[in-house]
């Protein structure tokens, strides 16, 4: 088992099978800090795609969040397009879902400021992601990194979203979003913002590094061999899986404590093949790592290959990506602008002509 994390009563576990007949508005965001890796795909994006069938979905490339760490114009611009291409290639349908980049919609910054004014510093001081990202040199960390979770709350609340699909690592930020919504409601208008519920998605909510089964697979890991990028070609994917860290035990078994690498590869196998983990573990209980990895490499190439091909095709036409984002931003503004109008009115801001 993963280290025990108790599901809070506000967490919705989504199996991806569509058996829960729930309704509401989904909001989720992804930072254009780097390209997309397999953990993003299995832990987040693949579920975003499935949720389109059941919810009204708003998906956002959160470039304003990325500005807390990316300070290079060309990198930022390229990453926004790459992440958008990845989302489209994975199956986000811009006709059904609203897909856009955050900085094109003023509501995020406007609401973030209002929420900053009703969020106690003490709540932000507790955020573990800030502590991790700021590291030892807290005094030099940008203020934006500290108020990052308030901007995240604004993202969600500007659309009055009810459900937020994220990986495990975002649970604390989601709890804060609920608290911030409550803080605004208490002061200005009861029940104005719905309290958004995190949806922690499926068994692959934490995909680990291929080089170290105790570390999360991440775009910021210095070793490219630690992750599968959605831009990797078939040879690179197969090579990374063949060279993934293994262990000296016989057979492939599920044991996170003692066999984190084998367990992680099993998680990836099960997620990519849409099979229960126990089922895959039973099939390979007696197998050598070499056979298991070879099958996993084939499976990964089969599932990810078409996505990477489509992504390349899209990236060759940046104009099309930009047009898609512009259209998405317009639809996003149509939802969020009236909410901001109401918020400004509730806090007592005078509006000319209003
Ligand atoms: P980030 O790359 O941190 O902007 O994350 C984007 C989304 O992908 C968030 O919902 C994360 O929780 C999810 N995510 C990132 N890395 C992983 C991973 N290794 N396993 C599962 N989900 C992940
Ligand atoms: N903080 C999220 C992450 O790092 C990205 C994000 C920004 C987000 N705004 C959001 C996720 C709103 C969900 C909802 O993954």
């Amino acid at each position: 088992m993963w280290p025990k994390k108790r599901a809070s009563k506000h967490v919705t576990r989504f199996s991806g099978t569509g058996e829960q007949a729930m309704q509401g508005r989904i909001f989720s965001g992804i930072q254009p800090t780097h390209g997309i890796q397999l953990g993003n795909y299995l832990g987040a994006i693949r579920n975003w795609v499935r949720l389109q069938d059941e919810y009204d979905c708003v998906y956002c490339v959160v470039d304003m969040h990325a500005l807390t760490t990316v300070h290079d114009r060309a990198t930022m611009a390229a990453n926004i397009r790459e992440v958008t291409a990845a989302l489209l290639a994975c199956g986000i349908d811009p006709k059904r879902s609203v897909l856009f980049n955050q900085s094109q919609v003023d509501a995020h910054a406007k609401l973030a400021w209002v929420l900053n004014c009703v969020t106690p510093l003490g709540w932000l001081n507790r955020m573990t992601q800030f502590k991790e990202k700021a590291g030892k040199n807290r005094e030099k960390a940008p203020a934006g990194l500290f108020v990052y979770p308030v901007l995240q709350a604004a993202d969600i609340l500007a659309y009055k979203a009810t459900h937020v699909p994220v990986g495990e690592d975002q649970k604390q930020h989601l709890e804060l979003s609920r608290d911030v919504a409550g803080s605004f409601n208490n002061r200005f208008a009861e029940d104005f913002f719905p309290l958004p519920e995190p949806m922690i998605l499926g068994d692959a909510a934490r995909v680990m590094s291929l080089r170290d089964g105790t570390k999360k697979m991440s775009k910021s890991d210095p070793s490219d061999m630690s992750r599968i990028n959605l831009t990797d070609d078939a040879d690179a994917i197969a090579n990374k899986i063949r060279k993934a860290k293994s262990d000296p035990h016989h057979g492939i078994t599920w044991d996170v404590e003692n066999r984190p690498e084998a367990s992680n590869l099993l998680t990836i196998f099960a997620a990519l093949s849409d099979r229960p983990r126990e089922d895959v573990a039973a099939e390979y209980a007696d197998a050598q790592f070499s056979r298991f990895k070879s099958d996993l490499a084939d499976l990964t190439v089969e599932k990810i290959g078409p996505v990477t091909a489509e992504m390349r095709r899209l990236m060759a036409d940046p104009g099309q990506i930009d047009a898609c984002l512009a259209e998405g931003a317009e639809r996003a503004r149509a939802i969020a602008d009236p909410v901001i109008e109401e918020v400004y009115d509730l806090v007592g801001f005078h509006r000319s002509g209003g």
Side-chain angles (χ1 to χ4, degrees), residues 84-130:
T84 307
L87 293 175
L88 292 167
C90 291
I92 301 295
D93 173 357
K95 294 277 170 271
R96 280 196 291 164
S97 297
V98 178
L99 174 63
F100 69 106
N101 60 314
Q102 190 184 27
S103 61
Q104 290 206 53
V105 179
D106 294 346
H108 297 254
K110 288 179 169 173
L111 184 56
W113 182 256
V114 172
L115 297 178
N116 272 325
C117 297
V118 299
T119 304
L121 273 190
W123 292 358
L124 295 177
N125 269 327
R126 288 203 284 274
M127 294 294 112
T128 54
Q129 189 171 301
F130 172 75

Side-chain angles (χ1 to χ4, degrees), residues 143-158:
L145 200 59
F146 191 65
V147 292
Y148 176 116
V150 182
L151 179 59
Q152 181 161 350
D155 296 341
I156 299 164
L157 300 176

Side-chain angles (χ1 to χ4, degrees), residues 132-148:
E132 277 162 28
K133 286 199 176 166
K136 290 203 184 77
N137 213 343
R138 241 180 111 135
E139 294 295 309
K140 291 229 167 94
L145 200 59
F146 191 65
V147 292
Y148 176 116

Side-chain angles (χ1 to χ4, degrees), residues 28-45 48 62 129 133 148 165-171 201 204-209 215-220 264:
S28 201
I30 187 158
Q31 291 194 69
T33 38
H34 305 258
I36 300 289
Q37 40 83 10
L38 188 67
N40 299 129
Y41 176 66
L42 293 178
I45 301 170
W48 294 10
V62 289
Q129 189 171 301
K133 286 199 176 166
Y148 176 116
V166 281
E168 292 274 355
D169 60 338
Q170 291 299 311
K171 251 165 71 175
L201 303 160
R206 254 172 104 71
V207 176
M208 310 311 270
S209 157
K215 266 176 42 192
K216 210 175 83 161
M217 184 179 285
S218 164
K219 297 175 286 192
S220 48
N264 183 42

Side-chain angles (χ1 to χ4, degrees), residues 244-255:
K245 191 172 169 202
S246 52
D247 62 40
H249 298 278
H250 173 76
I252 310 296
T253 54
W254 173 255
D255 179 352

Side-chain angles (χ1 to χ4, degrees), residues 293-312:
K293 282 180 171 178
S294 159
D295 289 357
L296 178 57
D298 289 348
L299 174 67
T300 312
V301 169
E302 178 197 323
K303 298 286 178 181
I304 302 297
V307 177
T308 63
E310 174 63 3
M311 201 176 140
R312 291 223 179 92

